Amino acid sequence: MTATPSRSSAAGGVLRRHRSAVLAGAVSLGLVGGMAAEAVLAPMAANADPVSVPGTAAQMPSFADVVAAVEPAVVSIRVTAEGPQLSSMNGIPNIPGLPQGSPFEWFRQFGPNGPGGNDDGPRGRQGRGVVMGQGSGFVISEDGYVVTNNHVVDKAKEVKVLFQDGKEVDAKVIGTDEKTDIALLKIDTDTKLPYVALTDAEPRVGDWVVAVGNPFGLGGSVTAGIVSARGRDIGAGPYDDFIQIDAPINKGNSGGPTFNLKGEVVGINTAIYSPSGGSVGIGFAIPAATVRTIVEDLKDDGAVTRGWIGVQIQPITADIADGLGLKEAKGALVADP
């Protein structure tokens, strides 16, 4: 009976054969799929070309062209405000509608009571007066309109917009909408600014996306991923309809754009799922369709006006349908006009 060599002994034989090949210039590769193969290794020439893998570059997507096109229109936002809502350290301001301790976090801009500061230290004392905050945004028109999150500029006394080339300009808050967490800024400019457009198309689950922003103050940072899901309701408010993405985004990305491969904005990065406080690859963006509607209202009126009917409705059950003499149990009933 012939013994079958173990996995480890077979591997050792292959290693020994490769070692002898380097020395002798030839090697027997042993059994591959049950068949013997022979190969000859040529000695390395002194002027040999670097190793390359043909075809790999063409198969892998590159986001360089997208980034080069959109990056000039993505800005960092610096805010001066009163109170502990914003600061250059690390904390968590209160977001309306978000349960305390929820792992769904808005990009909470650095506050005095976070991991970087405390109430008793100098950072904490600064947090009770004038504090600094930072976030991201993007230019949507050549005459200087900029979109960001409401919570980035909330209670701001001074807002500055920093471009990729290092130019910093003052910005005016045109209007904000707390319920959708969208804000519109305006900067004065004598020249036409580079800007990006909101997409008209609905993103599909699985589409590539690229996020550009200012995480932790590191402006111009780029990450990539895919659309993980649509229509997410994370319990943040009455208008929850988030796009879930897995492009890594962190504190400071708040208000920044997520792009498709055409360089169109598909959403505003606004929240993350984060049991640890950092990115775990589950981020949430406000869809472009929502952004467009809110921005138009803010631009025209400085605020969003929503209709209110003032009635209470209830679904029609089978019992209600029988009582009203309806053939089918469908529709709604005005319970309190």
Side-chain angles (χ1 to χ4, degrees):
M1 179 178 295
T2 303
T4 302
S6 68
R7 187 181 302 272
S8 59
S9 63
V14 173
L15 289 175
R16 286 193 293 273
R17 292 188 182 97
H18 277 282
R19 187 177 297 112
S20 64
V22 176
L23 299 174
V27 59
S28 174
L29 295 180
L31 295 179
V32 180
M35 299 181 63
E38 298 290 332
V40 176
L41 301 181
M44 180 70 74
N47 59 349
D49 292 331
V51 173
S52 62
V53 182
T56 301
Q59 296 170 9
M60 295 297 292
S62 173
F63 306 105
D65 291 339
V66 176
V67 174
V70 304
E71 201 170 31
V74 181
V75 297
S76 300
I77 296 177
R78 295 178 180 174
V79 175
T80 302
E82 288 186 352
Q85 288 84 5
L86 302 173
S87 147
S88 59
M89 300 317 296
N90 192 11
I92 300 179
N94 292 326
I95 302 298
L98 197 65
Q100 189 67 27
S102 170
F104 292 101
E105 293 189 2
W106 260 242
F107 296 116
R108 323 297 181 87
Q109 307 309 308
F110 302 160
N113 298 323
N118 56 69
D119 283 334
D120 299 326
R123 293 170 182 165
R125 290 194 294 271
Q126 290 175 358
R128 294 192 177 102
V130 176
V131 292
M132 302 294 294
Q134 55 191 353
S136 305
F138 54 99
V139 182
I140 60 168
S141 67
E142 62 183 17
D143 58 344
Y145 281 98
V146 177
V147 175
T148 186
N149 280 140
N150 168 66
H151 74 263
V152 171
V153 298
D154 186 33
K155 297 180 176 63
K157 299 188 66 175
E158 184 181 67
V159 180
K160 292 185 178 293
V161 170
L162 181 65
F163 287 86
Q164 298 290 336
D165 60 5
K167 182 180 179 181
E168 188 176 55
V169 296
D170 293 329
K172 177 183 178 182
V173 178
I174 299 299
T176 63
D177 183 52
E178 184 179 21
K179 292 183 178 179
T180 56
D181 200 20
I182 296 174
L184 181 65
L185 314 179
K186 179 67 168 65
I187 58 179
D188 293 329
T189 177
D190 297 327
T191 60
K192 294 181 179 180
L193 297 177
Y195 67 96
V196 289
L198 297 164
T199 184
D200 292 322
E202 293 287 343
R204 301 174 304 164
V205 175
D207 280 349
W208 283 108
V209 289
V210 179
V212 185
N214 183 36
F216 302 109
L218 302 173
S221 293
V222 180
T223 55
I226 62 170
V227 175
S228 301
R230 290 175 49 193
R232 288 299 198 206
D233 184 344
I234 63 174
Y239 302 104
D240 271 22
D241 181 23
F242 291 99
I243 301 170
Q244 181 184 329
I245 64 173
D246 70 352
I249 46 181
N250 288 282
K251 299 171 184 178
N253 275 116
S254 189
T258 290
F259 296 99
N260 59 23
L261 295 190
K262 295 180 180 179
E264 300 168 331
V265 178
V266 300
I268 300 178
N269 300 322
T270 301
I272 57 176
Y273 181 88
S274 180
S276 63
S279 173
V280 294
I282 301 178
F284 301 95
I286 303 169
T290 302
V291 177
R292 178 181 290 104
T293 301
I294 299 300
V295 164
E296 289 175 355
D297 285 349
L298 295 178
K299 187 176 181 180
D300 293 340
D301 305 319
V304 177
T305 302
R306 296 179 171 90
W308 177 256
I309 299 176
V311 299
Q312 294 181 2
I313 61 174
Q314 67 183 73
I316 295 179
T317 63
D319 291 338
I320 293 176
D322 289 340
L324 295 175
L326 301 178
K327 294 180 179 180
E328 296 182 80
K330 65 179 183 178
L333 176 68
V334 176
D336 187 10

